[in-house]
Amino acid sequence: MQISWAARTDPGLRRSRNEDSYRAKPEVGLFVVADGMGGHVGGEVASELAVTEIQKLVESTGELGPLDTWPVPFDQSLSQDGNRLRAGFDNANRKIAQHMERAENLRGMATTAVAVLVDGVQAALAHVGDSRAYLYRADQLTRLTSDHSWVEEQMRAGMLTEAAAREHPWRNIVTKALSGSGDLQVDVAEVELQPGDRLLLCSDGLSSVLNDSEIGDIMAANHDLQEGCDELVNQANAAGGPDNVTTLLLQVATAAGS
Ligand code: CA
């Protein structure tokens, strides 16, 4: 299995710090984007902890079977890789709690995270918060994640249109995050990949300024993964660059060589 990937992270035009983090470990099939929140250095610490702890857990469980001892209860309804990601998110959440206990200036920090773990044509996908995963297949962009955000909940309830959500003063409010609290809920899904598929992981610095059709157009015009990441970031900044923006694109080469 060969995975090609590219990424770009950028502070945007209105923020001095970049609280987003990403991690790419193609040798184990893991890719993560996290978007930190919290005053002072908290946001940066939280997103960095998330990508690091998810990576550690995934790397330490590659050989585990369902009957082995897992760091968290094994969920029979999920694949092995789905369990590995969920355990990674749990681990990150616990580490964030521990850091907040030790350091006053980190209290209140939190982070979103979206992660994909690829094994051949199977991909496990996990997310918490409003960082997103998209699938680009046969010139069509499909969103694979549903934001844990206040505006998304209002849209689902029919109370807000997408256009209104985009302008809403509460558009940045996430309803779930890795925040160190004890009731973490992680959305886990499984995706079967096809030749030529591309996956995009991104922080809301991209999706808050570009809609899905604009993102799809940029993907269509940029087949090179690095050029795609760069152009997505450039267009987010051209649209005002209000937030840190991170884009990570990956593509799995198949036996057929596509
Ligand atoms: Ca953000």
Side-chain angles (χ1 to χ4, degrees):
M1 169 186 65
Q2 204 192 343
I3 305 175
S4 36
W5 67 278
R8 168 105 178 261
T9 188
D10 188 274
L13 302 181
R14 297 198 214 145
R15 305 213 172 165
S16 54
R17 315 181 78 103
N18 190 346
E19 299 182 313
D20 288 359
S21 296
Y22 72 88
R23 188 63 46 88
K25 288 280 150 188
E27 59 275 27
V28 294
L30 177 69
F31 301 87
V32 191
V33 167
D35 174 354
M37 300 155 258
H40 195 47
V41 296
E44 285 158 76
V45 172
S47 67
E48 177 62 27
L49 272 174
V51 298
T52 299
E53 294 303 321
I54 293 166
Q55 176 197 340
K56 277 193 204 162
L57 200 290
V58 164
E59 287 180 338
S60 67
T61 52
E63 306 299 318
L64 282 182
L67 300 178
D68 292 324
T69 303
W70 279 71
V72 294
F74 191 89
D75 183 340
Q76 298 290 350
S77 71
L78 301 176
S79 69
Q80 176 101 344
D81 283 348
N83 272 284
R84 291 168 77 197
L85 284 183
R86 195 179 54 91
F89 278 55
D90 279 339
N91 217 34
N93 194 49
R94 269 196 304 276
K95 276 281 158 36
I96 286 168
Q98 287 168 10
H99 278 251
M100 285 196 291
E101 226 154 75
R102 282 188 227 124
E104 185 104 23
N105 65 345
L106 298 179
R107 301 260 158 87
M109 71 176 177
T111 184
T112 72
V114 59
V116 62
L117 186 54
V118 183
D119 182 7
V121 295
Q122 294 297 328
L125 177 69
H127 87 286
V128 171
D130 61 0
S131 292
R132 290 182 180 174
Y134 289 93
L135 170 68
Y136 187 78
R137 170 181 292 169
D139 301 327
Q140 292 286 334
L141 187 77
T142 310
R143 201 190 304 174
L144 299 177
T145 50
S146 171
D147 295 347
H148 302 139
S149 68
W150 185 85
V151 290
E152 180 87 15
E153 287 177 2
Q154 296 300 307
M155 281 165 58
R156 268 202 296 272
M159 307 294 281
L160 269 185
T161 62
E162 189 182 349
R166 206 165 276 283
E167 302 297 324
H168 201 282
W170 293 359
R171 62 187 174 274
N172 295 323
I173 306 287
V174 295
T175 49
K176 292 181 191 170
L178 300 174
S179 63
S181 80
D183 59 348
L184 177 68
Q185 290 168 293
V186 184
D187 282 10
V188 181
E190 314 282 341
V191 186
E192 192 161 322
L193 298 173
Q194 295 177 5
D197 282 355
R198 275 180 266 166
L199 290 173
L200 167 67
L201 306 184
C202 65
S203 62
D204 75 325
L206 181 75
S207 51
S208 64
V209 289
L210 300 183
N211 64 35
D212 291 4
S213 113
E214 291 166 323
I215 294 171
D217 288 347
I218 296 168
M219 302 267 296
N222 293 274
H223 289 270
D224 179 83
L225 299 183
Q226 190 62 57
E227 286 171 13
C229 287
D230 292 347
E231 188 58 17
L232 288 165
V233 168
N234 293 344
Q235 290 299 325
N237 284 337
D243 195 2
N244 307 149
V245 52
T246 300
T247 57
L248 193 160
L249 276 170
L250 63 117
Q251 192 161 29
V252 179
T254 63
S258 52

